Amino acid sequence: MVLGTLLLNVTMEFWGTALTEQVEQYHRLLQGQMEPSLGVFIRICFYRLGIALILMACIRLTGNYYILYPSVFLMSVSFGYTLSLLSFRYGLRGIVCMLAYLCPQYFIYIPLMILILKEVSSQMDRAFPASLRRSVVIFSIIILGCGLESYINPVILKIVLKNFF
């Protein structure tokens, strides 16, 4: 997150006028997820499950679990950049907007990521591959998070955007 904030500050030095465009792009993303629908659910599942499948394939092909750590790092930098961008543009309202965007699905995603990282750490010490049952549970939890993100989160976003923006 700290690196995302630093990245925003460097970006402001070079491309100060493009920040408004980046905020508008974020708002277009939010507008695309304001109405709960099957289309939103499919799109979110495509991104979330797609990333998980690509990571799993890379881990299986290389036999190295360390590839998961850079992906978590990049997600943290992206989060820090977006949070800093919104707080720079809107102050505390931007932070409220970001929290609304993360709620309630990140109550599922963050513990899941911690569980995956613990599993990966313990898996590196073992000689046998992860069980299929664990993989199915992880993908099921991701689908639950996608459901929250596509059906519950739009309601929260509407309330927050209506009251704060």
Side-chain angles (χ1 to χ4, degrees), residues 53-109:
L53 286 172
I54 289 169
L55 281 172
M56 182 181 269
C58 289
I59 288 169
R60 295 286 181 220
L61 290 174
T62 63
N64 188 348
Y65 291 98
Y66 291 116
I67 197 165
L68 186 62
Y69 295 110
S71 65
V72 171
F73 174 75
L74 289 175
M75 286 189 299
S76 299
V77 168
S78 174
F79 175 79
Y81 184 85
T82 306
L83 182 62
S84 298
L85 178 68
L86 290 174
S87 63
F88 174 75
R89 179 79 164 106
Y90 298 114
L92 285 177
R93 291 183 311 159
I95 294 171
V96 170
C97 179
M98 187 69 174
L99 290 175
Y101 183 69
L102 297 175
C103 186
Q105 67 272 12
Y106 274 79
F107 291 122
I108 299 288
Y109 293 147

Side-chain angles (χ1 to χ4, degrees), residues 1-164:
M1 267 180 46
V2 172
L3 286 176
T5 303
L6 292 174
L7 183 63
L8 176 69
N9 289 321
V10 169
T11 303
M12 286 174 22
E13 289 292 324
F14 293 114
W15 299 289
T17 58
L19 289 178
T20 303
E21 182 180 319
Q22 290 176 11
V23 170
E24 293 302 318
Q25 181 180 5
Y26 180 78
H27 285 300
R28 283 192 297 273
L29 171 73
L30 287 181
Q31 292 300 321
Q33 291 181 323
M34 292 295 281
E35 292 299 324
S37 69
L38 183 62
V40 171
F41 178 72
I42 290 171
R43 186 181 60 204
I44 290 171
C45 280
F46 176 76
Y47 288 119
R48 303 288 186 238
L49 291 173
I51 290 171
L53 286 172
I54 289 169
L55 281 172
M56 182 181 269
C58 289
I59 288 169
R60 295 286 181 220
L61 290 174
T62 63
N64 188 348
Y65 291 98
Y66 291 116
I67 197 165
L68 186 62
Y69 295 110
S71 65
V72 171
F73 174 75
L74 289 175
M75 286 189 299
S76 299
V77 168
S78 174
F79 175 79
Y81 184 85
T82 306
L83 182 62
S84 298
L85 178 68
L86 290 174
S87 63
F88 174 75
R89 179 79 164 106
Y90 298 114
L92 285 177
R93 291 183 311 159
I95 294 171
V96 170
C97 179
M98 187 69 174
L99 290 175
Y101 183 69
L102 297 175
C103 186
Q105 67 272 12
Y106 274 79
F107 291 122
I108 299 288
Y109 293 147
I110 291 173
L112 178 65
M113 189 57 70
I114 292 169
L115 175 75
I116 290 171
L117 288 173
K118 283 183 180 179
E119 180 66 24
V120 163
S121 294
S122 67
Q123 198 67 27
M124 284 191 267
D125 298 336
R126 298 185 213 147
F128 56 89
S131 71
L132 179 63
R133 184 177 56 200
R134 286 188 197 125
S135 298
V136 169
V137 167
I138 287 171
F139 282 105
S140 299
I141 294 172
I142 291 173
I143 290 173
L144 174 68
C146 292
L148 288 173
E149 190 170 354
S150 57
Y151 291 107
I152 305 296
N153 183 256
V155 175
I156 294 170
L157 279 174
K158 279 183 187 178
I159 292 169
V160 167
L161 292 178
K162 179 181 174 186
N163 293 320
F164 287 96

